[in-house]
């Protein structure tokens, strides 16, 4: 229960995780659906991997309060969101682009939320 409560206390990180999991579902569906036009494409596999990585980054950000690792995850998450959005655009997956915009909103909420000061 404590692992889940850490994510629920940070709405931005939770939104990032949910949007990336939604992107994962969309990408897997597009990969296996022959009507999608991108079925079996290597770019779709890359998007599947990047959405999994983004979900892991969101879970890690919910637990980290400060330090180099948190900064690394924040920058990496932003680059991942931008890259996955661009890949979704090139793969003609509007749903994925919208989900990455939702993930960007979660990233903004996480980065600019109030934090407890440590003395």
């Amino acid at each position: 229960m404590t692992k889940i409560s850490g994510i629920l206390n940070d709405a931005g990180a939770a939104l990032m995780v949910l949007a990336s999991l939604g992107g994962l579902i969309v990408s897997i569906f597009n990969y296996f659906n022959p009507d999608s036009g991108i079925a079996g494409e290597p770019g779709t596999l890359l998007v599947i991997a990047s959405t999994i990585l983004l979900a892991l980054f969101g879970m890690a950000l919910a637990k980290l309060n400060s330090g180099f690792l948190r900064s690394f995850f924040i920058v990496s998450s932003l680059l991942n969101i931008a890259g996955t959005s661009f890949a979704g655009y090139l793969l003609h997956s509007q749903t994925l682009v919208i989900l990455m915009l939702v993930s960007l909103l979660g990233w903004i909420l996480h980065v600019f939320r109030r934090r407890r000061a440590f003395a």
Side-chain angles (χ1 to χ4, degrees):
M1 184 69 179
T2 59
K3 291 180 182 179
I4 294 174
S5 66
I7 292 175
L8 294 179
N9 289 336
D10 187 355
L15 192 58
M16 278 177 56
V17 170
L18 290 175
S20 63
L21 291 176
L24 176 64
I25 292 168
V26 167
S27 300
I28 290 172
F29 177 77
N30 285 339
Y31 185 75
F32 289 110
N33 183 11
D35 295 331
S36 69
I38 56 174
E41 293 292 324
T44 312
L45 284 176
L46 182 63
V47 169
I48 290 170
S50 70
T51 53
I52 291 170
L53 192 61
L54 186 59
L56 294 174
F57 284 166
M59 288 180 209
L61 283 173
K63 294 187 172 285
L64 298 173
N65 288 325
S66 62
F68 173 77
L69 195 57
R70 180 180 180 274
S71 300
F72 173 77
F73 282 149
I74 286 175
V75 171
S76 296
S77 296
L78 182 61
L79 293 174
N80 190 330
I81 291 167
T84 305
S85 298
F86 185 63
Y89 172 75
L90 291 176
L91 292 170
H92 302 288
S93 178
Q94 291 83 11
T95 308
L96 182 62
V97 174
I98 291 169
L99 285 168
M100 288 302 107
L101 288 175
V102 171
S103 187
L104 178 64
L105 176 64
W107 183 87
I108 291 169
L109 289 174
H110 174 77
V111 170
F112 294 107
R113 77 179 171 107
R114 259 187 164 193
R115 299 196 185 286
R116 191 174 7 165
F118 295 104

